[in-house]
Amino acid sequence: MAQQGLVERLKNGEDILIAEGYMWELERRGYLTAGGFIPEIVLDNPEVVRALHMEFIHAGTDVIEAFTYYGHREKLRTIGREDDLEKLNRVALQMAKEVARENGKLLAGGICNSGIYDPQDESTFAAVTAMFKEQIEWAVEYEVDYIIAETFNDLGEAMLALKAIQQYGKGVPAVITMTAYIPDMTTDDVPFPEACRRLEEAGAAVVGVNCGRGPRTMLPLVKEIKKVCKGPVAMLPVTFRCRDNCRTFQSLRDPETGKPLYPTDLEAARCSRSDIRSWAEEAKAAGINYIGLCCGNASFYFRELAEAYGRKPPTSKYTPNVGLSHVFGKTSEADKYKRSTKIKEFMIGKDNA
């Protein structure tokens, strides 16, 4: 069991590293439908979810979050599985609890954007709150250390989530992260630094942004958020090469065809490991102490993040060592590998050798 809770660890100056992105990674592996991104896998193939929990522990995560993202009533209704709602949440929470407690990690429950919130229609507020309420109450039953409410593009819905955690969460801390798209403003027209400041003042333990933007386009905004917030600021970008003229992974286009990459061809714009390492080093220097990766995350990326933050997770045993290559490494200089020069020229071209 984790010896201290989230708030205590942050107050003590610890960094909290959190591996998210289960939805995208499990779709990539063939266990989720792109588009709906509904976590049926929790019921259909729970062993795969458990294995991914363990994989991210191997890569250095401090937190195991129950995979209940889009496991809410509205999403399950769209595929005719609303009757499985409670079972899905309970299975996800029990599985996450077992893995977290057995490995000394923090356990997080999770809620997310509803898809039905409309700031111009107050009748949606009660429906959204009811969806949050049931997921929060189930999470509390499984003794979560805190609850993550994430990927809100409206400040109004993020506030509803925070209030629901405060009302039904029996005192567990709330981490509230919103999603910035192309403007530095929420879709209910509040600048993100101001939105995060309001959430913090309303009682969120951690505020910040997740999803939407890549490392390069998210970090400048997080630095601005940090200027106006007094407590910890969260940053969880997607792992794609967003840039100034396409700040979100939804807006990326194929460099060869010009066609949109989202949602099924994003591999053409994946970050390199060096991209993630450089971003993580800059984030650490900026004082970001609640940090992770969202859509596109994989264990090899998360190792880069963990090592940049001074960690040596189990997977660091296998950190790349190109020096061991008989073609590209120092071993290529040995007499027994005397053909390596020619092989290298054939691989990459004589001018690049």
Side-chain angles (χ1 to χ4, degrees):
M1 189 176 202
Q3 294 183 348
Q4 288 185 315
L6 172 73
V7 174
E8 293 77 14
R9 290 173 65 170
L10 289 169
K11 284 184 177 178
N12 289 338
E14 290 188 46
D15 300 313
I16 299 297
L17 312 185
I18 176 168
E20 294 197 20
Y22 283 68
M23 179 182 78
W24 217 260
E25 178 63 5
L26 291 169
E27 188 281 330
R28 188 184 69 84
R29 297 183 185 191
Y31 290 97
L32 276 176
T33 301
F37 294 109
I38 301 164
E40 297 175 88
I41 185 175
V42 170
L43 298 178
D44 298 344
N45 299 98
E47 72 284 354
V48 178
V49 179
R50 182 183 292 270
L52 190 54
H53 285 323
M54 293 303 301
E55 188 174 323
F56 282 137
I57 287 175
H58 187 65
T61 189
D62 292 319
V63 183
I64 295 298
E65 181 184 5
F67 186 36
T68 55
Y69 189 94
Y70 277 167
H72 57 58
R73 187 171 295 280
E74 183 63 25
K75 274 290 188 178
L76 289 170
R77 182 182 292 129
T78 65
I79 56 169
R81 296 192 70 169
E82 188 177 358
D83 289 345
D84 288 332
L85 172 68
E86 182 173 352
K87 182 180 179 182
L88 185 151
N89 278 265
R90 289 189 180 278
V91 169
L93 285 158
Q94 180 63 32
M95 182 165 35
K97 181 179 181 178
E98 290 172 0
V99 172
R101 299 307 185 224
E102 289 168 5
N103 292 277
K105 303 299 179 181
L106 292 168
L107 171 65
I111 60 176
C112 67
N113 58 300
S114 66
I116 62 170
Y117 174 81
D118 182 350
Q120 305 302 320
D121 182 358
E122 292 190 9
S123 69
T124 64
F125 299 2
V128 170
T129 298
M131 287 166 52
F132 292 155
K133 176 180 181 290
E134 55 194 0
Q135 286 192 287
I136 291 165
E137 289 180 335
W138 291 323
V140 169
E141 282 188 46
Y142 289 85
E143 300 177 308
V144 296
D145 295 303
Y146 68 100
I147 293 176
I148 298 166
E150 59 189 331
T151 326
F152 298 106
N153 44 272
D154 285 303
L155 173 59
E157 188 173 29
M159 278 291 187
L160 287 180
L162 175 57
K163 290 175 182 177
I165 294 169
Q166 291 170 331
Q167 185 172 357
Y168 305 112
K170 296 187 177 180
V172 299
V175 171
I176 313 291
T177 55
M178 301 189 68
T179 298
Y181 295 121
I182 292 173
D184 288 339
M185 187 171 290
T186 68
T187 49
D188 49 0
D189 301 319
V190 181
F192 272 99
E194 172 67 12
C196 288
R197 185 188 65 78
R198 291 187 200 176
L199 288 164
E200 182 181 68
E201 290 179 350
V206 180
V207 297
V209 285
N210 79 291
C211 206
R213 296 188 185 184
R216 187 187 304 178
T217 53
M218 182 177 283
L219 185 54
L221 176 59
V222 172
K223 289 180 178 179
E224 293 303 308
I225 292 170
K226 192 166 173 53
K227 289 177 183 179
V228 301
C229 290
K230 298 178 181 179
V233 172
M235 175 167 53
L236 295 93
V238 299
T239 61
F240 301 100
R241 282 181 162 171
C242 303
R243 51 196 184 275
D244 289 343
N245 64 340
C246 46
R247 303 177 88 182
T248 66
F249 74 146
Q250 292 94 343
S251 63
L252 288 168
R253 291 185 173 271
D254 190 303
E256 293 188 2
T257 67
K259 294 180 179 179
L261 294 175
Y262 184 89
T264 55
D265 287 326
L266 282 161
E267 278 66 30
R270 268 191 175 272
C271 288
S272 68
R273 301 184 195 199
S274 298
D275 291 339
I276 299 299
R277 174 77 69 140
S278 297
W279 157 76
E281 290 172 347
E282 188 174 351
K284 182 172 175 58
I288 306 304
N289 60 346
Y290 185 102
I291 189 165
L293 293 167
C294 198
C295 296
N297 186 23
S299 55
F300 70 95
Y301 282 141
F302 205 81
R303 177 174 60 194
E304 298 294 332
L305 168 58
E307 290 182 350
Y309 268 69
R311 307 287 182 84
K312 292 294 179 185
T315 189
S316 291
K317 176 182 178 181
Y318 307 106
T319 295
N321 184 353
V322 181
L324 296 176
S325 169
H326 75 282
V327 175
F328 292 94
K330 292 182 180 179
T331 55
S332 65
E333 299 169 6
D335 288 343
K336 66 186 293 186
Y337 298 118
K338 57 188 178 183
R339 284 181 55 79
S340 63
T341 299
K342 185 171 184 178
I343 294 170
K344 187 175 181 180
E345 288 178 0
F346 270 53
M347 286 180 171
I348 66 175
K350 190 171 184 178
D351 293 341
N352 297 321

